[in-house]
Amino acid sequence: MRKFLRQYSLLIWLTFILTTGFLAILVTSYIVSKDSIQQGIAEKSLPITGDSVYSEIQKDILRPVFISAQMAQDTFVRDWIINGEEESTLISKYLKEIKTKNNAVSSFLVSDVSHQYYHPDGTLKTVKETEPRDAWYFRVRKLKAAYETNVDADMANHDNMTIFINHKILDYNGKFIGVTGIGLTLDSMKRVIDSYQTRFHRNIYFVDAKGNLVLAGSAAKRLGSSIVKATGISTIATQILANTKNESQHLEYSIDDEKILLNARYIPELGWHLIVEQEMNEQLKPLQDVLLMGAGISALITLIVLSLVLITVRRYQNRIEKTAATDQLTSLPNRQAFDFVFENALLDSERSRQPLCVAIIDIDFFKKVNDKHGHLVGDHVLKEIAMIAKRSLRESDVICRWGGEEFVILLKNCTLEKATAIAENLRLTIANNDFSRTTDLARTRLTITVSMGVALCKDKEDEDSVFERADVALYQAKENGRNSVYFSE
């Protein structure tokens, strides 16, 4: 319970504050006079609507920022750039997976080495400093911050206006090597705006720093293309645009003797001004009833949304924890998870005085398999070897995907002699297996062999030392013809 309160304290407080705020508005609405209704709309109702829309935008942007950060820190992405950007189909496949998995309209990577712009369908172009449409990239390269949010036309999506999260990629020494991220369409925000306009009977729209209308619902057509030129609001346009802090403004203007109350705030993440308007008329009494009903409905919907957000956050956290520890292709523990398991196993081995061995598996000539049969067959081989290993090993043994075509096995309570025998048995099983039998991708018999290096963990020996000796044994196996098991004492 305490852990839950610590993790979700902000959400709990937000629920409490919003619920209390809506109840206060509801009570106040019943007791105030006609004059106080107008004051309530100007100083409370409109700001709350603006805060709700602003919160919705922050929610939509927060997840893409997290995804972009994950992409920028992905070792595959960094290694692919560092190793010369070979086989561009690999990065396109990766970007396509990111785009599909996260329902994004765009995903991209620009290398600072080659200046190539990659997207899910291949290489889009070469970015140039002299090209105005590429100015965003060179701006991001000079940023002190890790990322920026930018609204721009997406060349890979028919120039549709898109919100991009541009995240810097740094190599392992902190050197800038590129930019990656995803893009989200503005259509979702337009739907949010229309839903808020329907619910609150107010006009909601966004303008840029020059006052140009950039995003609006269906009710803002009377404004034209700019608030600087629009009738009525042009008288306060300068005040709106002069506010570059994330603070609410309470303003008003008139059109044809109709008073319009306005709340404006600057959104630094987008560089836009959010404007919420309420048209007033002589029938303030009916408006009071509408306000009361709207407040009650809004409070209920807010509670439902917060409940759904809580459920979603918990599920998303569980999914992140599982994804962080699992290799997506083979469903084996990944290197990060293995490091944790190995550290605990090493401590148990020292306490119990039971031997502990590690074995490194490297698939022989795996690149030739990919080149000859394609990467889908290569993926099938990796999954099949993972399945064979899990069937062949003891229940106490742990196998993980170390990276590329390498696997690592942790053999608990196992002498070097026994570990070598287990490794030899696994090698023979793999060598005798017909990998074409379980797939339609390979038309002829497909035989795969592996080389293995085994090492016994010595007293007070750290992880790096153990794996260095196992790697030396693996190197000996590969140097002496492959398809063999060597050990290091």
Side-chain angles (χ1 to χ4, degrees):
M1 185 64 181
R2 291 181 179 178
K3 181 179 179 182
F4 176 86
L5 292 175
R6 286 197 303 271
Q7 289 181 334
Y8 301 101
S9 59
L10 180 61
L11 190 61
I12 293 171
W13 275 108
L14 181 61
T15 303
F16 175 77
I17 291 170
L18 287 177
T19 303
T20 304
F22 277 120
L23 289 175
I25 291 174
L26 186 62
V27 173
T28 303
S29 299
Y30 279 107
I31 61 176
V32 294
S33 64
K34 293 181 180 180
D35 293 334
S36 61
I37 291 176
Q38 180 172 322
Q39 182 180 358
I41 292 173
E43 298 181 2
K44 296 180 180 180
S45 184
L46 283 181
I48 288 175
T49 304
D51 290 342
S52 299
V53 177
Y54 179 64
S55 298
E56 195 74 18
I57 293 170
Q58 283 188 314
K59 183 183 71 176
D60 287 342
I61 290 178
L62 183 60
R63 185 170 178 268
V65 168
F66 176 78
I67 295 168
S68 299
Q70 291 288 91
M71 294 168 67
Q73 296 169 10
D74 195 323
T75 55
F76 164 75
V77 172
R78 292 189 287 178
D79 289 343
W80 184 80
I81 296 175
I82 294 170
N83 293 331
E85 302 173 35
E86 296 179 356
E87 298 182 31
S88 62
T89 54
L90 291 177
I91 200 67
S92 295
K93 182 178 179 181
Y94 172 86
L95 294 173
K96 186 173 183 179
E97 180 71 12
I98 292 293
K99 174 183 173 183
T100 303
K101 185 176 180 181
N102 297 284
N103 294 320
V105 296
S106 178
S107 58
F108 64 92
L109 183 147
V110 180
S111 166
D112 197 57
V113 180
S114 64
H115 284 189
Q116 294 296 304
Y117 187 118
Y118 300 97
H119 68 108
D121 295 326
T123 304
L124 181 65
K125 60 181 293 187
T126 300
V127 296
K128 300 177 181 178
E129 287 193 80
T130 56
E131 175 59 50
R133 298 193 66 167
D134 298 336
W136 67 269
Y137 172 76
F138 298 95
R139 180 182 67 249
V140 173
R141 187 167 65 174
K142 297 177 182 178
L143 279 179
K144 293 183 179 180
Y147 74 94
E148 71 160 12
T149 302
N150 183 41
V151 179
D152 204 351
D154 186 3
M155 290 182 63
N157 190 28
H158 308 293
D159 276 349
N160 289 329
M161 292 304 294
T162 303
I163 297 178
F164 288 100
I165 309 298
N166 305 318
H167 204 294
K168 297 165 71 173
I169 307 172
L170 306 179
D171 65 12
Y172 301 103
N173 295 317
K175 179 183 177 183
F176 176 82
I177 57 174
V179 177
T180 189
I182 62 173
L184 300 175
T185 179
L186 295 180
D187 291 341
S188 59
M189 290 192 181
K190 290 182 179 179
R191 288 192 294 269
V192 171
I193 291 175
D194 278 331
S195 69
Y196 270 75
Q197 288 184 162
T198 302
R199 190 185 312 158
F200 293 102
H201 303 284
R202 298 185 177 96
N203 296 334
I204 301 170
Y205 54 93
F206 297 84
V207 298
D208 62 18
K210 296 181 180 179
N212 297 318
L213 200 67
V214 291
L215 186 61
S218 56
K221 295 180 180 178
R222 62 174 175 78
L223 295 171
S225 61
S226 172
I227 62 172
V228 177
K229 301 178 181 178
T231 304
I233 195 173
S234 59
T235 59
I236 58 172
T238 302
Q239 291 177 261
I240 294 172
L241 301 179
N243 179 27
T244 56
K245 297 181 179 180
N246 191 6
E247 300 174 350
S248 292
Q249 286 180 298
H250 309 304
L251 303 170
E252 62 180 64
Y253 65 94
S254 299
I255 299 179
D256 299 329
D257 297 326
E258 178 70 18
K259 180 181 288 186
I260 297 179
L261 303 181
L262 178 148
N263 178 267
R265 69 187 304 164
Y266 181 71
I267 303 178
E269 294 93 336
L270 299 176
W272 295 350
H273 295 269
L274 167 62
I275 299 176
V276 181
E277 293 181 345
Q278 173 69 64
E279 300 177 4
M280 303 299 297
N281 54 49
E282 297 178 356
Q283 298 178 348
L284 290 177
K285 183 61 175 66
L287 181 62
Q288 181 181 9
D289 297 334
V290 173
L291 180 61
L292 292 173
M293 184 179 297
I297 294 173
S298 299
L300 177 61
I301 291 177
T302 301
L303 289 175
I304 294 173
V305 169
L306 287 171
S307 299
L308 293 174
V309 168
L310 176 60
I311 294 171
T312 302
V313 167
R314 293 187 65 180
R315 289 180 177 177
Y316 191 61
Q317 284 180 335
N318 292 335
R319 193 182 309 124
I320 289 174
E321 290 174 1
K322 183 177 179 181
T323 301
T326 305
D327 175 60
Q328 297 301 302
L329 179 63
T330 62
S331 298
L332 295 175
N334 59 22
R335 185 166 184 171
Q336 180 179 351
F338 184 83
D339 287 342
F340 177 77
V341 173
F342 180 82
E343 184 176 334
N344 288 325
L346 200 58
L347 292 174
D348 290 341
S349 175
E350 291 176 356
R351 285 194 295 265
S352 63
R353 294 295 179 180
Q354 293 179 341
L356 179 68
C357 290
V358 296
I360 302 177
I361 305 173
D362 187 275
I363 303 175
D364 296 331
F365 305 111
F366 184 68
K367 185 177 184 302
K368 291 184 179 180
V369 174
N370 281 329
D371 294 341
K372 183 178 179 180
H373 300 283
H375 289 278
L376 291 178
V377 173
D379 290 346
H380 166 71
V381 168
L382 291 170
K383 290 189 287 187
E384 186 79 3
I385 288 178
M387 293 176 63
I388 292 172
K390 286 193 288 187
R391 290 196 303 264
S392 303
L393 296 173
R394 303 172 305 169
E395 186 175 348
S396 61
D397 298 332
V398 179
I399 180 170
C400 88
R401 174 91 180 276
W402 194 249
E405 65 270 24
E406 286 190 339
F407 297 84
V408 171
I409 304 173
L410 181 63
L411 300 155
K412 301 178 182 179
N413 190 18
C414 189
T415 63
L416 180 60
E417 181 181 1
K418 187 175 180 180
T420 305
I422 292 173
E424 178 63 21
N425 179 63
L426 176 58
R427 181 195 67 78
L428 287 172
T429 304
I430 293 173
N432 294 329
N433 184 66
D434 180 8
F435 284 80
S436 66
R437 181 174 52 82
T438 54
T439 180
D440 295 330
L441 299 173
R443 298 181 180 178
T444 59
R445 179 181 176 85
L446 178 59
T447 301
I448 300 295
T449 63
V450 297
S451 299
M452 302 178 66
V454 182
L456 173 67
C457 297
K458 300 178 180 179
D459 290 341
K460 307 300 181 181
E461 187 175 25
D462 59 23
E463 180 179 350
D464 292 339
S465 176
V466 175
F467 280 96
E468 182 178 352
R469 291 191 296 106
D471 201 48
V472 170
L474 174 64
Y475 179 77
Q476 290 176 332
K478 298 181 77 67
E479 282 291 303
N480 290 285
R482 293 182 167 83
N483 190 23
S484 58
V485 177
Y486 275 67
F487 63 86
S488 173
E489 296 182 347

